[in-house]
Short mmCIF file of all heavy atoms in Angstrom, two decimals:
data_model
loop_
_atom_site.label_atom_id
_atom_site.label_comp_id
_atom_site.label_asym_id
_atom_site.label_seq_id
_atom_site.Cartn_x
_atom_site.Cartn_y
_atom_site.Cartn_z
N MET P 36 -23.51 -33.89 -10.36
CA MET P 36 -23.11 -32.69 -9.66
C MET P 36 -23.69 -32.61 -8.22
O MET P 36 -23.01 -32.11 -7.33
CB MET P 36 -23.62 -31.43 -10.48
CG MET P 36 -23.00 -31.32 -11.86
SD MET P 36 -21.19 -31.11 -11.78
CE MET P 36 -21.12 -29.48 -11.07
N PHE P 37 -24.86 -33.15 -8.06
CA PHE P 37 -25.46 -33.21 -6.72
C PHE P 37 -24.62 -34.09 -5.78
O PHE P 37 -24.35 -33.77 -4.63
CB PHE P 37 -26.91 -33.73 -6.80
CG PHE P 37 -27.62 -33.67 -5.47
CD1 PHE P 37 -28.24 -32.47 -5.06
CD2 PHE P 37 -27.71 -34.77 -4.69
CE1 PHE P 37 -28.89 -32.41 -3.83
CE2 PHE P 37 -28.35 -34.74 -3.48
CZ PHE P 37 -28.97 -33.56 -3.04
N SER P 38 -24.17 -35.22 -6.32
CA SER P 38 -23.32 -36.15 -5.55
C SER P 38 -22.00 -35.45 -5.20
O SER P 38 -21.49 -35.61 -4.08
CB SER P 38 -23.06 -37.42 -6.31
OG SER P 38 -22.19 -38.25 -5.62
N ILE P 39 -21.43 -34.69 -6.13
CA ILE P 39 -20.19 -34.06 -5.90
C ILE P 39 -20.34 -32.94 -4.78
O ILE P 39 -19.48 -32.78 -3.94
CB ILE P 39 -19.63 -33.39 -7.19
CG1 ILE P 39 -19.24 -34.48 -8.20
CG2 ILE P 39 -18.48 -32.48 -6.92
CD1 ILE P 39 -18.90 -33.97 -9.56
N SER P 40 -21.47 -32.27 -4.83
CA SER P 40 -21.70 -31.23 -3.78
C SER P 40 -21.78 -31.82 -2.41
O SER P 40 -21.30 -31.24 -1.45
CB SER P 40 -23.00 -30.45 -4.14
OG SER P 40 -24.14 -31.29 -3.95
N GLN P 41 -22.40 -33.00 -2.31
CA GLN P 41 -22.47 -33.67 -1.02
C GLN P 41 -21.10 -34.08 -0.57
O GLN P 41 -20.80 -34.02 0.65
CB GLN P 41 -23.38 -34.91 -1.13
CG GLN P 41 -24.87 -34.55 -1.29
CD GLN P 41 -25.74 -35.75 -1.39
OE1 GLN P 41 -25.34 -36.82 -1.88
NE2 GLN P 41 -27.00 -35.62 -0.92
N LYS P 42 -20.25 -34.51 -1.46
CA LYS P 42 -18.85 -34.85 -1.07
C LYS P 42 -18.06 -33.65 -0.58
O LYS P 42 -17.33 -33.67 0.32
CB LYS P 42 -18.18 -35.50 -2.29
CG LYS P 42 -18.51 -36.93 -2.52
CD LYS P 42 -18.07 -37.85 -1.38
CE LYS P 42 -18.44 -39.31 -1.63
NZ LYS P 42 -17.99 -40.15 -0.48
N TYR P 43 -18.33 -32.51 -1.32
CA TYR P 43 -17.71 -31.24 -0.86
C TYR P 43 -18.11 -30.93 0.60
O TYR P 43 -17.24 -30.62 1.43
CB TYR P 43 -18.16 -30.11 -1.74
CG TYR P 43 -17.31 -29.85 -2.97
CD1 TYR P 43 -17.79 -29.99 -4.24
CD2 TYR P 43 -15.99 -29.45 -2.78
CE1 TYR P 43 -16.98 -29.77 -5.38
CE2 TYR P 43 -15.15 -29.22 -3.91
CZ TYR P 43 -15.68 -29.40 -5.22
OH TYR P 43 -14.87 -29.13 -6.26
N GLN P 44 -19.39 -31.05 0.87
CA GLN P 44 -19.84 -30.74 2.25
C GLN P 44 -19.30 -31.72 3.31
O GLN P 44 -18.92 -31.30 4.40
CB GLN P 44 -21.36 -30.75 2.31
CG GLN P 44 -22.02 -29.64 1.48
CD GLN P 44 -23.51 -29.66 1.55
OE1 GLN P 44 -24.11 -30.37 2.40
NE2 GLN P 44 -24.18 -28.91 0.72
N LEU P 45 -19.12 -32.97 2.89
CA LEU P 45 -18.50 -33.98 3.79
C LEU P 45 -17.10 -33.59 4.12
O LEU P 45 -16.66 -33.60 5.28
CB LEU P 45 -18.59 -35.37 3.19
CG LEU P 45 -17.87 -36.48 3.90
CD1 LEU P 45 -18.52 -36.72 5.29
CD2 LEU P 45 -17.91 -37.78 3.11
N TYR P 46 -16.32 -33.27 3.10
CA TYR P 46 -14.89 -32.94 3.26
C TYR P 46 -14.74 -31.58 4.02
O TYR P 46 -13.82 -31.40 4.82
CB TYR P 46 -14.17 -32.90 1.98
CG TYR P 46 -14.05 -34.26 1.27
CD1 TYR P 46 -14.27 -34.38 -0.10
CD2 TYR P 46 -13.83 -35.37 2.03
CE1 TYR P 46 -14.15 -35.62 -0.71
CE2 TYR P 46 -13.77 -36.62 1.41
CZ TYR P 46 -13.94 -36.73 0.06
OH TYR P 46 -13.88 -37.94 -0.55
N LEU P 47 -15.66 -30.66 3.80
CA LEU P 47 -15.63 -29.38 4.48
C LEU P 47 -15.87 -29.55 6.01
O LEU P 47 -15.24 -28.90 6.82
CB LEU P 47 -16.63 -28.41 3.94
CG LEU P 47 -16.27 -27.75 2.56
CD1 LEU P 47 -17.47 -27.01 1.97
CD2 LEU P 47 -15.12 -26.82 2.75
N ARG P 48 -16.77 -30.50 6.36
CA ARG P 48 -17.01 -30.77 7.74
C ARG P 48 -15.81 -31.43 8.36
O ARG P 48 -15.46 -31.19 9.54
CB ARG P 48 -18.24 -31.67 7.92
CG ARG P 48 -19.56 -30.98 7.55
CD ARG P 48 -20.75 -31.87 7.91
NE ARG P 48 -21.98 -31.18 7.51
CZ ARG P 48 -22.62 -31.44 6.37
NH1 ARG P 48 -22.12 -32.35 5.52
NH2 ARG P 48 -23.75 -30.87 6.12
N GLN P 49 -15.11 -32.27 7.58
CA GLN P 49 -13.88 -32.88 8.12
C GLN P 49 -12.77 -31.79 8.32
O GLN P 49 -12.07 -31.83 9.31
CB GLN P 49 -13.38 -33.94 7.14
CG GLN P 49 -14.27 -35.17 7.09
CD GLN P 49 -13.77 -36.18 6.07
OE1 GLN P 49 -12.78 -36.01 5.40
NE2 GLN P 49 -14.49 -37.31 5.96
#
Side-chain angles (χ1 to χ4, degrees):
M36 296 299 291
F37 186 83
S38 175
I39 293 173
S40 69
Q41 291 181 329
K42 283 294 181 181
Y43 270 118
Q44 294 182 11
L45 174 63
Y46 294 140
L47 284 170
R48 291 189 183 96
Q49 292 178 359

